[in-house]
């Protein structure tokens, strides 16, 4: 939805992207908040959580050695120290928004997957799922950035409604609440979905997949310029910046005017559709 050409670069061409400090910091903070719940409730303190940051960074480096490139030119370690301090501040701010001593998540970093009647397969990873004693389900997602302005709230909630749709199709239960916790600004955004919301998201996903199928077959992936272009790793091969995309690696067939894409989605291809997760969520 952000940019069809970027989708092509990432999913079809699989062009490499450099790790970013912001996204990696998000991954680090998520790891700390996930593992904090391994401790007994009374020990889930801010000091314990912030003290976990350096150790979790070491674990992250072990699993993804390429992240060391982020601070390759930081010989004195000053930039790394500042970056770790920023991560600690985000972790500490979480304690002003939620009380982990009163939470016992049913799931953390839960992988979910379901297949719609159309054959389209949806999957993603949910940061946290809480289940009340009365059975109500709350889906929680941590964001290390700032909360969007009200006019952009719907876009921010799309990922959460995506997760709610998957849970509904998997469990037959509509989550009671969707909650976005913005550590960058100290805000909490909540939304209580109903069946009609999830049905609309499903229709939107099917329409989106039809557009993806058509673009895949015709090779027509158009750039959609926005302010986010300034952070894109693929400017050198983007027409908006005077670049030329790599040779399209798939066979192409001309589009038939007025004819949409119909039929069941191929399960292998359908796996490409998943929620866009920013900042390591």
């Amino acid at each position: 939805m952000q940019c069809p050409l970027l989708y092509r670069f990432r999913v079809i061409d699989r062009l490499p992207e450099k790790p970013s400090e912001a996204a990696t910091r998000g991954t680090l903070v998520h790891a700390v908040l996930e593992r904090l719940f391994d401790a007994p409730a009374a020990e889930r303190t801010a000091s314990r959580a912030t003290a976990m940051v350096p150790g979790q960074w070491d674990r992250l480096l072990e699993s993804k050695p390429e992240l060391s490139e982020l601070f390759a030119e930081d010989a004195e370690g000053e930039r790394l120290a500042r970056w770790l301090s920023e991560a600690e501040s985000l972790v500490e701010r979480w304690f002003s928004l939620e009380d982990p001593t009163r939470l016992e998540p049913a799931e953390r970093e839960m992988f979910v997957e379901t297949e719609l009647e159309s054959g389209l397969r949806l999957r993603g990873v949910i940061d946290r799922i809480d289940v009340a004693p009365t059975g109500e389900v709350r889906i929680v997602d941590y964001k290390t950035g700032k909360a969007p302005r009200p006019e952009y709230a719907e876009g921010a909630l799309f990922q959460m409604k995506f997760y709610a749709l998957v849970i509904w199709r998997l469990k037959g239960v509509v989550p009671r609440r969707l909650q976005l916790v913005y550590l960058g600004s100290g805000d909490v955004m909540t939304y209580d979905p109903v069946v009609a919301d999830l049905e609309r998201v499903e229709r939107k996903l099917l329409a989106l997949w039809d557009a993806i199928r058509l673009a895949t077959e015709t090779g027509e992936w158009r750039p959609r310029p926005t302010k986010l272009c300034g952070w894109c790793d693929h400017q050198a091969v983007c027409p908006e910046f005077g670049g030329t995309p790599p040779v399209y690696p798939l066979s192409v067939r001309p589009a038939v005017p007025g004819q949409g894409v119909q039929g069941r989605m191929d399960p292998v291809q359908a796996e490409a559709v998943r929620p866009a997760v920013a900042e390591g969520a």
Side-chain angles (χ1 to χ4, degrees), residues 25 90 93 142-150 152-153 156 180-189 278-279:
R25 183 171 52 236
L90 292 170
R93 180 171 289 159
Y142 308 119
K143 298 295 184 186
T144 49
K146 297 180 180 180
R149 296 199 298 267
Y152 298 112
L180 282 159
V181 181
Y182 287 95
L183 304 177
S185 57
D187 295 301
V188 176
M189 180 189 299
E279 299 186 354

Side-chain angles (χ1 to χ4, degrees), residues 14-219:
R14 298 177 183 256
L15 300 183
E17 295 182 343
K18 296 178 181 178
S20 73
E21 290 187 18
T24 305
R25 183 171 52 236
T27 302
L28 174 58
V29 170
H30 276 73
V32 171
L33 299 186
E34 177 194 2
R35 292 184 176 276
L36 181 65
F37 285 103
D38 291 338
E43 298 178 19
R44 298 170 193 161
T45 63
S47 59
R48 181 188 182 99
T50 54
M52 293 170 61
V53 170
Q56 289 302 313
W57 170 235
D58 290 339
R59 290 173 62 100
L60 194 55
L61 279 177
E62 289 178 8
S63 62
K64 298 182 177 181
E66 65 273 15
L67 294 179
S68 61
E69 299 175 10
L70 288 170
F71 304 102
E73 299 178 3
D74 183 32
E76 301 298 323
E78 294 180 359
R79 192 155 56 89
L80 174 59
R82 184 168 59 251
W83 182 81
L84 289 172
S85 178
E86 291 169 352
E88 291 171 359
S89 297
L90 292 170
V91 169
E92 189 171 19
R93 180 171 289 159
W94 176 58
F95 286 81
S96 68
L97 305 174
E98 296 191 287
D99 182 359
T101 66
R102 303 181 63 181
L103 295 171
E104 291 297 341
E107 300 287 350
R108 289 172 277 155
E109 294 295 318
M110 180 185 181
F111 175 80
V112 291
E113 180 176 24
T114 191
E115 186 171 305
L116 305 180
E117 290 183 0
S118 65
L120 178 60
R121 186 180 304 169
L122 309 177
R123 61 189 190 184
V125 178
I126 300 175
D127 287 349
R128 196 180 87 215
I129 295 181
D130 301 330
V131 180
T134 50
E136 288 93 347
V137 174
R138 176 172 64 181
I139 297 177
V140 181
D141 194 77
Y142 308 119
K143 298 295 184 186
T144 49
K146 297 180 180 180
R149 296 199 298 267
E151 60 265 34
Y152 298 112
E154 184 59 32
L157 283 171
F158 179 77
Q159 176 187 353
M160 301 302 286
K161 292 179 180 179
F162 178 103
Y163 291 148
L165 170 63
V166 175
I167 293 296
W168 179 42
R169 291 306 189 196
L170 274 176
K171 308 292 186 181
V173 175
V174 175
R176 174 69 178 81
R177 174 154 294 181
L178 310 178
Q179 181 167 303
L180 282 159
V181 181
Y182 287 95
L183 304 177
S185 57
D187 295 301
V188 176
M189 180 189 299
T190 62
Y191 184 83
D192 297 341
V194 295
V195 169
D197 289 324
L198 307 188
E199 290 175 338
R200 280 193 293 271
V201 170
E202 183 168 337
R203 289 194 295 271
K204 184 173 183 176
L205 288 171
L206 293 174
L208 177 61
W209 185 247
D210 276 350
I212 291 171
R213 287 289 300 271
L214 182 60
T216 301
E217 294 172 354
T218 63

